[in-house]
Amino acid sequence: MNQSAAHKWLGGKRLSNPRLSDLEPLFEKRLAANFTLLDQLFQELYPGRENDFSSLLERLASLFRARPRELQLQDLQRLGAGNWYQEGKWVGMQLYVDRFSASLSGLEARLPYLEDLGINFLHLMPLTRRPKGPNDGGYAVNSYTEIDPRYGKTEDFLQLTERFREKGICLMLDFVVNHTSDEFSWAEKARQGDPKYQAYYYTYPDRTIPDLFEAHLPEIFPETAPGNFSYIPEMDRWVMTVFNTYQWDLNYSNPEVFLEMLGNLAALANQGVDVVRFDALAFLWKKIGTSSQNLPEAHKLIALFRLCLQVVAPGVIILAEAIVAPLEIVKYFGEGRLEGNECELAYNATLMACLWDAIATKKTSLLYKSLLSLPPKPPEGSWINYIRCHDDIGLGFDDNHIRQLGWDPGAHRRFLLDYYCQRLGWSPAKGAIFMFNPLTGDGRITGSAASLLGLEKALETGQADALDTAVRKIVLMHGIILASEGIPLIYAGDELAALNDYSYLKDADKADDSRWINRPYHDWKAVASLKKGKGPGAQVFGQIRSLIGLRRQLPVLGAAGKTHLHLTGNDHLLLFERRSETDGVMVIANFDAEVQVVNASWLARLGYLAEGGYHNLTDHSRGKVQSGLLEVPPYALMWLQLH
Ligand code: GLC
């Protein structure tokens, strides 16, 4: 079908929702604008399925009609405002509602805390119904729309999203797009033998095809869910389960699955979600003989979702949860004809992993090498900058970069695991290992930011200098993401220097998943004593709060400033500049336990020193330079403003 065919198709169909009737022409306009690529991608993924394409067009019309007027108007406002998500004002926090505030209404009551801290972008972890037993923190979904009773009712959620809109808080929620739980209605029907729903998943009567897949598929949870297929006795078939055995992978080579999931995506958007986090999106397309990650078809499928949103809810954007190799991540912003048609946001997983590398090695060489070799992202794409999230910290570096530094990739990774996971007596870090694979030696790291950065051990030993160092490192790491280009996202509790939470070990449904160590309950007692507190939690809170305030006062740290990475020849330091035509901030971070120096005349030439002195905005300290050198104290963070 070509563009004029789209017009013909639309000719006979008028919108029935009277509240939207004045907005009706928008649907036609948007469909026409996106039609060519939509049509192309659909035909490429689903050749010869014209009827399904017609169903898609019908569905788009009904989804457009179902979008509440208030959100339609917000879409228009956002389209008018350009890339609203690139405004510098956003500062994010990620949290589990049950662990932060018990319930959705409890969260509403806690908004003043978040507002005081300066948070206006929230990633709430999965909220919908899930199996009673193990459910991967809600990433095994029984429903895409019904709120799990543990959090409250659907009305509570709708009330909350309304409140967020009033207050200008941006809401991000997951769309678990790659799999459902094994209790989801489609899985139940498949289990009962319904062939229609068996074709919604990858199910096979014997091991022939599973074995062909297995030859090239890596394992995501090798310790707890080895292999990628599970045998389901009730249907006497094998089903693909790349993550946990109770998470069944959806079969997107079936266009009906795409159509159904589009409905679920739109329903989420229509509840008032602003940013949809596409969970595990690198895994969306599977092909025998490949790792079934980052395949070109996965990119086309994501673009198809994006184009459909463009028609029915263009104010809603997508975050790519692609924790993959550095060169692969940036592709999720869309390249070639898909540029601007995939995800607006992506996790800056490379920066995240390299920051932890810099802490452990006290060197920024791998950080520089990785960042400098990243292909530029398209201008309409933005990073989510974070130092850790609810998941593990993977060592997602490019082995070639490690080799170029003269290190052995295997040995380097082993060192990092040893350093963070309590296998080196001298290391200040107190983390745990996640999914260690004894065959390959691979593993990932879990732990709260504060525990990984030495605070837990320092509190145990009571050494004042170790405490001070831990606090400095926590502030240093946050100060970097708060000065970086994109949206900073803090994990709830890290702003209070929360330690590891070991309570998961007593819960049989969680004990084998050490990621729960870094998902602590929010410590409201600590919050209550912040005003009088002088302890590490209060220090970290005060400094992070003031850095957030500074970020807002300095538009150059937001969308206005471009980023320039500066190589100084000192491999303990990270220096980057955020620069606009009229303003600039130089960020200097020392990852070493010794004082390091920067050439003062170079800094003065760039305009960051005045009358031979500096003014560090992060702690209001002022000082002179000596012998032509700016001294950067151990683990110090400096933000110097252009004079
Ligand atoms: C994503 C989530 C992770 C979950 C996985 C499977 O990676 O961040 O927590 O286990 O998807 O849904």
Side-chain angles (χ1 to χ4, degrees), residues 136 139 179 221 243 247 277 279 321 390-391 515:
D136 195 10
Y139 282 98
H179 43 260
F221 296 144
F243 289 85
Q247 288 164 312
R277 176 186 185 270
D279 179 62
E321 194 249 336
H390 68 294
D391 282 329
R515 291 176 299 176

Side-chain angles (χ1 to χ4, degrees), residues 354 357-358 361-372 401 405 407 567 570-573:
C354 290
D357 187 86
T361 60
K362 302 197 174 102
K363 291 208 163 81
T364 51
S365 2
L366 187 58
L367 176 58
Y368 271 103
K369 213 166 227 342
S370 306
L371 294 185
L372 288 170
H401 294 156
L405 293 168
W407 302 335
L567 271 163
N570 180 327
D571 64 1
H572 300 291
L573 296 177

Side-chain angles (χ1 to χ4, degrees), residues 482-599:
L482 282 164
S484 293
E485 207 174 322
I487 302 177
L489 188 67
I490 300 170
Y491 190 89
D494 282 353
E495 81 283 14
L496 293 166
L499 303 180
N500 286 342
D501 178 353
Y502 298 99
S503 64
Y504 79 102
L505 290 166
K506 292 189 212 99
D507 181 340
D509 292 339
K510 299 194 170 76
D512 64 0
D513 187 341
S514 74
R515 291 176 299 176
W516 289 102
I517 209 174
N518 49 244
R519 301 166 179 174
Y521 287 84
H522 210 71
D523 187 350
W524 292 106
K525 269 202 198 120
V527 173
S529 58
L530 276 175
K531 290 224 163 65
K532 36 184 170 34
K534 288 203 192 70
Q539 284 174 40
V540 166
F541 183 88
Q543 293 187 57
I544 289 182
R545 184 172 172 276
S546 109
L547 289 176
I548 294 173
L550 266 179
R551 180 181 162 100
R552 289 239 166 74
Q553 283 163 27
L554 297 164
V556 74
L557 293 182
K562 295 268 156 286
T563 305
H564 304 274
L565 207 52
H566 289 290
L567 271 163
T568 59
N570 180 327
D571 64 1
H572 300 291
L573 296 177
L574 171 68
L575 268 89
F576 66 94
E577 194 182 1
R578 299 294 312 280
R579 197 58 221 263
S580 69
E581 269 176 26
T582 50
D583 202 2
V585 169
M586 179 70 82
V587 178
I588 305 178
N590 181 2
F591 283 83
D592 196 37
E594 305 291 328
V595 173
Q596 298 295 329
V597 292
V598 183
N599 180 336

Side-chain angles (χ1 to χ4, degrees), residues 32-197:
N34 292 287
F35 190 82
T36 308
L37 191 53
L38 202 68
D39 187 25
Q40 263 177 23
L41 294 175
F42 196 88
Q43 303 312 332
E44 287 169 24
L45 288 173
Y46 307 115
R49 304 287 294 249
E50 266 79 29
N51 285 346
D52 292 302
F53 190 64
S54 295
S55 311
L56 170 62
L57 298 180
E58 304 252 2
R59 187 157 296 211
L60 287 176
S62 66
L63 294 175
F64 177 85
R65 260 177 246 139
R67 186 146 173 87
R69 185 179 176 83
E70 192 188 346
L71 297 176
Q72 294 267 12
L73 295 175
Q74 180 175 280
D75 289 337
L76 286 177
Q77 237 174 33
R78 287 188 169 163
L79 287 174
N83 296 338
W84 58 272
Y85 53 89
Q86 289 186 326
E87 284 174 44
K89 66 181 182 187
W90 303 113
V91 177
M93 178 163 278
Q94 173 187 10
L95 58 91
Y96 283 89
V97 169
D98 47 346
R99 295 178 164 240
F100 184 79
S101 55
S103 66
L104 287 163
S105 49
L107 178 57
E108 205 173 327
R110 294 298 187 188
L111 289 181
Y113 169 76
L114 296 170
E115 285 168 318
D116 170 65
L117 182 58
I119 301 298
N120 58 2
F121 178 110
L122 283 179
H123 175 200
L124 305 185
M125 302 306 287
L127 295 171
T128 54
R129 288 196 297 105
R130 76 278 316 263
K132 283 224 162 52
N135 55 48
D136 195 10
Y139 282 98
V141 292
N142 284 4
S143 160
Y144 284 97
T145 46
E146 290 165 43
I147 298 296
D148 193 289
R150 82 185 66 198
Y151 298 113
K153 300 201 189 71
T154 301
E155 297 85 79
D156 299 328
F157 179 60
L158 293 177
Q159 184 183 315
L160 190 71
T161 63
E162 209 177 306
R163 200 96 174 91
F164 283 1
R165 277 197 295 287
E166 275 162 30
K167 290 181 165 285
I169 297 174
C170 180
L171 172 61
M172 174 155 96
L173 234 59
D174 277 274
F175 181 46
V176 185
V177 60
N178 178 67
H179 43 260
T180 71
S181 80
D182 60 351
E183 291 183 3
F184 195 83
S185 61
W186 303 338
E188 292 286 1
K189 288 181 193 149
R191 198 186 279 109
Q192 286 156 18
D194 188 334
K196 173 179 155 94
Y197 290 99

Side-chain angles (χ1 to χ4, degrees), residues 212-234:
L212 291 174
F213 268 115
E214 286 290 13
H216 296 92
L217 286 179
E219 293 179 323
I220 307 302
F221 296 144
E223 271 187 344
T224 51
N228 289 280
F229 289 85
S230 305
Y231 178 69
I232 308 298
E234 294 95 318

